[in-house]
Amino acid sequence: MKYRIKALTPVHIHSGEVLRSMEYMVKDGEVLIFDEMDVIRSIKEKELLNAELLDSYSLTSKRSDYHRNLDYYIKKGIIDSSIVNRYKVKAINKAENLNGKEIYRTMRNIQGTYIPGSSIKGVIRTAILYDYLLKKGIDYIKEAVNYLKNNQRLKLYIDDYIIYFTNTKNNNRKKNIQADPFKFLIVRDVNMTENEVVIYDETIFDVNKFITGNTIEAIKEGDYTEDFEFEIVSDKDKLNTLNKIIGYNTDLDKYLDEKKILEALYQFSSDIIDDEIEYFKQQENRLFNSKEVIKKLEEIKKKNSIDSPVIRIGKGKGYKANTVALAIKKLDRNYYNKEIKNIAKPYQYRERYEFPKTRNFVGNRVSPKLLGFTILEKVD
């Protein structure tokens, strides 16, 4: 069966690339993005040692008043204006003020924007492990949490406990990634078809305050990927051989099936959406239009189905962000309220990003948009 992924809200999967202010300019409501080498080649010869220009390249401070956009240097005659017609990407500008700001770019290759197969596979893996936790129940989760607490120096996560230390003879307290049955599931990178991107300011909503996030490049809502397939390269013989050689949790074998994958994705997304709606219904911040967010979430919920499940993709949307906590909350809310900070607390803990108080959004507070909601559609 072939599928495609459609963006229901803006999608940002950070590529690791950060666009400097010298590499773009704003013109007629659009952001024109240039290749860095083209910018350097367009510097007029007599301006190569211009102090202001050199400072812009050498300063590492993120303060926008230390940096200037490309059009500033064009107007000052430092960079040749002919570069304007050599932009590589044109983006819709929804950011309030881009003067001197860095832009965190989304994933792209030579053909344009794309969703990595690893991101899609990561969500599938997340959904399967979430389903497994629900079926095993709260006592199993408590056992896992206690195991992780007692072995903190090993820096294990609950997914490690499920895969490597459940139903196995693993007594050496080490995980062997060769025993991960998800290696038999292959999902390739998929390119977006429209290749339209939007520049947004990201904000972290922290219940009673707003924290400025990054300025990001996002895949436009409504864009969709090329057709693709899930490739499952396992069979009983391969799984039996793997278990004999290494040993892993064979309960996970049943999930290596396309129908089971869709069911797990549907259930996981259904619970995520319900949890998001509950969160925003409890908010009473008059400076934030939570009704707009709730309306969009309810629209997304109606679209979610077993045949066409919603998938949330992107930064902070994956397994370690909310899966375990969501399962605990559903199974035992009292235990959740008592233990959540200990369970969700990362090794490098920063209070202002404490789980689960915060939510990221883009756009302004009157018309906010959540990130990363997509839907998996079957292709005839």
Side-chain angles (χ1 to χ4, degrees):
M1 175 64 70
K2 289 188 175 182
Y3 300 89
R4 70 177 187 179
I5 293 174
K6 182 178 180 180
L8 300 178
T9 66
V11 176
H12 172 70
I13 306 170
H14 183 39
S15 65
E17 180 185 357
V18 179
L19 198 66
R20 300 171 64 169
S21 58
M22 277 284 296
E23 297 168 49
Y24 71 87
M25 62 182 290
V26 181
K27 184 179 180 182
D28 300 327
E30 295 176 318
V31 179
L32 305 182
I33 298 172
F34 300 82
D35 181 81
E36 183 180 23
M37 291 308 299
D38 285 344
V39 173
I40 293 172
R41 292 190 192 101
S42 297
I43 300 172
K44 293 180 180 179
E45 188 173 351
K46 65 179 182 179
E47 300 290 349
L48 287 172
L49 298 179
N50 181 282
E52 192 173 17
L53 185 67
L54 292 174
D55 283 345
S56 181
Y57 272 105
S58 61
L59 287 171
T60 57
S61 171
K62 288 189 176 182
R63 283 182 55 184
S64 60
D65 51 331
Y66 288 151
H67 302 276
R68 305 289 185 182
N69 295 78
L70 181 60
D71 51 336
Y72 170 84
Y73 295 100
I74 293 174
K75 289 175 183 177
K76 290 199 72 173
I78 297 171
I79 291 178
D80 196 287
S81 61
S82 63
I83 192 176
V84 174
N85 297 320
R86 300 204 300 275
Y87 63 85
K88 299 297 182 183
V89 175
K90 183 187 288 186
I92 300 167
N93 183 28
K94 294 292 184 181
E96 288 189 9
N97 181 5
L98 281 176
N99 288 338
K101 288 185 178 179
E102 294 179 334
I103 298 175
Y104 285 67
R105 304 205 72 182
T106 197
M107 297 295 291
R108 59 174 58 248
N109 56 26
I110 195 169
Q111 296 184 53
T113 53
Y114 74 98
I115 296 177
S118 58
S119 294
I120 302 169
K121 182 176 177 177
V123 178
I124 294 171
R125 188 176 189 271
T126 297
I128 288 172
L129 295 177
Y130 175 75
D131 186 76
Y132 185 81
L133 287 174
L134 290 183
K135 285 181 168 57
K136 291 292 285 185
I138 192 64
D139 289 338
Y140 173 80
I141 294 177
K142 289 179 180 179
E143 179 184 308
V145 169
N146 288 333
Y147 182 89
L148 299 180
K149 282 183 180 178
N150 294 332
N151 295 278
Q152 287 187 22
R153 62 183 180 81
L154 300 178
K155 295 187 177 181
L156 298 172
Y157 295 98
I158 200 165
D159 49 340
D160 300 323
Y161 182 82
I162 295 170
I163 296 170
Y164 307 112
F165 302 100
T166 299
N167 297 334
T168 69
K169 297 178 181 179
N170 188 348
N171 297 317
N172 60 10
R173 295 185 179 181
K174 291 182 179 179
K175 63 180 181 181
N176 186 337
I177 60 173
Q178 294 301 316
D180 189 339
F182 293 105
K183 69 182 181 181
F184 293 119
L185 173 64
I186 299 172
V187 186
R188 307 192 187 281
D189 298 344
V190 284
N191 296 311
M192 306 306 297
T193 56
E194 299 295 328
N195 273 312
E196 289 189 277
V197 291
V198 185
I199 307 300
Y200 287 105
D201 290 323
E202 186 180 34
T203 303
I204 302 164
F205 178 48
D206 191 13
V207 182
N208 57 9
K209 63 179 181 291
F210 298 91
I211 302 165
T212 301
N214 297 320
T215 299
I216 63 171
E217 175 190 46
I219 294 169
K220 186 182 178 184
E221 181 178 338
D223 199 355
Y224 55 92
T225 69
E226 61 191 354
D227 300 350
F228 70 97
E229 296 178 283
F230 300 126
E231 187 177 352
I232 300 171
V233 295
S234 70
D235 54 40
K236 286 186 178 180
D237 290 339
K238 286 182 180 178
L239 293 170
N240 287 336
T241 301
L242 178 67
N243 191 39
K244 286 178 182 178
I245 296 173
I246 302 175
Y248 70 96
N249 185 357
T250 55
D251 286 350
L252 300 174
D253 290 354
K254 64 183 178 183
Y255 289 105
L256 294 175
D257 173 85
E258 207 161 300
K259 184 179 178 181
K260 291 291 186 183
I261 288 172
L262 295 180
E263 289 174 354
L265 286 170
Y266 163 74
Q267 183 61 59
F268 181 51
S269 292
S270 179
D271 289 350
I272 281 180
I273 295 166
D274 285 343
D275 191 61
E276 292 289 284
I277 291 173
E278 178 188 351
Y279 173 87
F280 285 107
K281 280 185 175 179
Q282 292 174 354
Q283 306 313 315
E284 298 179 352
N285 192 311
R286 289 179 293 179
L287 299 176
F288 183 76
N289 187 1
S290 57
K291 290 182 179 179
E292 181 89 5
V293 175
I294 293 167
K295 180 182 177 182
K296 183 65 176 180
L297 285 167
E298 288 174 341
E299 290 174 3
I300 293 171
K301 182 178 179 179
K302 288 179 181 178
K303 293 179 179 180
N304 188 34
S305 69
I306 292 177
D307 286 334
S308 184
V310 167
I311 302 176
R312 198 170 192 190
I313 294 175
K315 182 181 66 174
K317 311 301 180 290
Y319 185 77
K320 296 176 182 65
N322 56 17
T323 313
V324 180
L326 193 60
I328 294 171
K329 184 189 286 188
K330 187 168 183 176
L331 293 168
D332 189 335
R333 188 174 284 267
N334 289 332
Y335 179 68
Y336 169 85
N337 290 331
K338 180 182 177 182
E339 293 290 336
I340 183 56
K341 285 187 178 181
N342 294 326
I343 295 166
K345 182 176 178 180
Y347 296 106
Q348 299 296 326
Y349 185 68
R350 293 180 296 174
E351 186 175 355
R352 73 174 189 166
Y353 296 113
E354 175 191 325
F355 181 92
K357 292 192 307 181
T358 62
R359 295 294 191 277
N360 291 13
F361 69 90
V362 294
N364 58 50
R365 301 171 193 179
V366 176
S367 185
K369 292 178 179 288
L370 298 181
L371 287 166
F373 281 102
T374 69
I375 192 165
L376 187 69
E377 298 179 335
K378 290 182 178 179
V379 178
D380 296 331

